[in-house]
Amino acid sequence: MLPFLAIALILGACAEDPATNDEMTLTSGAFAEGAPIPSRHTCDGEDVSPALAWEGAPEGAAAFALIVDDPDAHGFVHWVVADIPADARSADEGTSPGTDGRNDMRRDGYGGPCPPSGTHRYVFTIYALGDALGLQPGFSAEELRSAMEGRVLASGRLTGTYQRGG
C-alpha cells in the first residue's frame, strides 16, 4: 500500500493544475514580458487598456476571461472581464473584449497602473474556459474566480511593470 501511495503522490505532484498552467501565450504590442507599461495605459496618461493578443487556446474553449492585478499591492484588481467570445484572439487598445466587472477602484472596466510608490508588477492573465459564465456587468474578481472554478482549460500570463514618475 505504501509504494502505491508514494507513486500516487508523485504523479499528483507532477499533474498540472489547469487553473495555474501557462499553456497559452498572452502578448501586447504596448510592452513586452517584464517590461515597463507605457504611461498611456496608466493613471498618469490616458488610462486606456493596452492592446492584447492571445494564442494557444485548447480545443473546447467556449469563452475567455481576463484578470489584471497587482501582486505588489496585495492583488489589487485593475480589470476583470468575463465571457470574451470563444473566437476572439485579441482586444484592441481602449476596448473591452467581453463583459466588464468592477475593479478595486470601484468602477467597471479598466483602471490602469497607479502605484503609490516604487515599481509594481501588473499581471494580465487570460483564461480559456469550458463554458461561458453569464455574469452580469459589475461582478467582482472574487465572483469571477468563483464562477471559473472547475471550468479553466488553460491560461496565459503577461507581466508588465510601472513606477510613477519613472
Side-chain angles (χ1 to χ4, degrees):
M1 179 71 176
L2 191 55
F4 174 75
L5 182 59
I7 291 171
L9 288 172
I10 290 169
L11 290 176
C14 293
E16 291 186 4
D17 176 358
T20 60
N21 67 28
D22 288 326
E23 296 172 350
M24 295 175 58
T25 302
L26 180 62
T27 59
S28 176
F31 64 96
E33 173 64 33
I37 297 170
S39 64
R40 172 175 174 69
H41 305 290
T42 73
C43 68
D44 294 320
E46 290 84 8
D47 204 14
V48 295
S49 60
L52 299 171
W54 54 93
E55 56 187 40
E59 288 289 322
F64 297 96
L66 176 72
I67 298 176
V68 179
D69 62 9
D70 176 356
D72 299 312
H74 307 290
F76 190 91
V77 175
H78 288 266
W79 199 16
V80 286
V81 185
D83 292 338
I84 300 168
D87 61 351
R89 293 298 181 270
S90 64
D92 292 335
E93 177 184 85
T95 65
S96 175
T99 303
D100 282 324
R102 181 144 301 197
N103 60 39
D104 284 346
M105 295 167 202
R106 297 191 179 115
R107 65 181 198 226
D108 290 1
Y110 179 80
C114 198
S117 64
T119 301
H120 284 229
R121 294 169 293 149
Y122 298 88
V123 181
F124 292 69
T125 307
I126 189 81
Y127 299 92
L129 306 174
D131 299 301
L133 303 175
L135 295 172
Q136 297 301 307
F139 58 88
S140 69
E142 183 177 313
E143 289 170 321
L144 177 58
R145 288 182 178 112
S146 178
M148 289 192 309
E149 260 184 55
R151 296 181 172 160
V152 176
L153 304 176
S155 64
R157 289 181 178 82
L158 172 65
T159 302
T161 62
Y162 189 68
Q163 177 178 358
R164 297 188 75 188

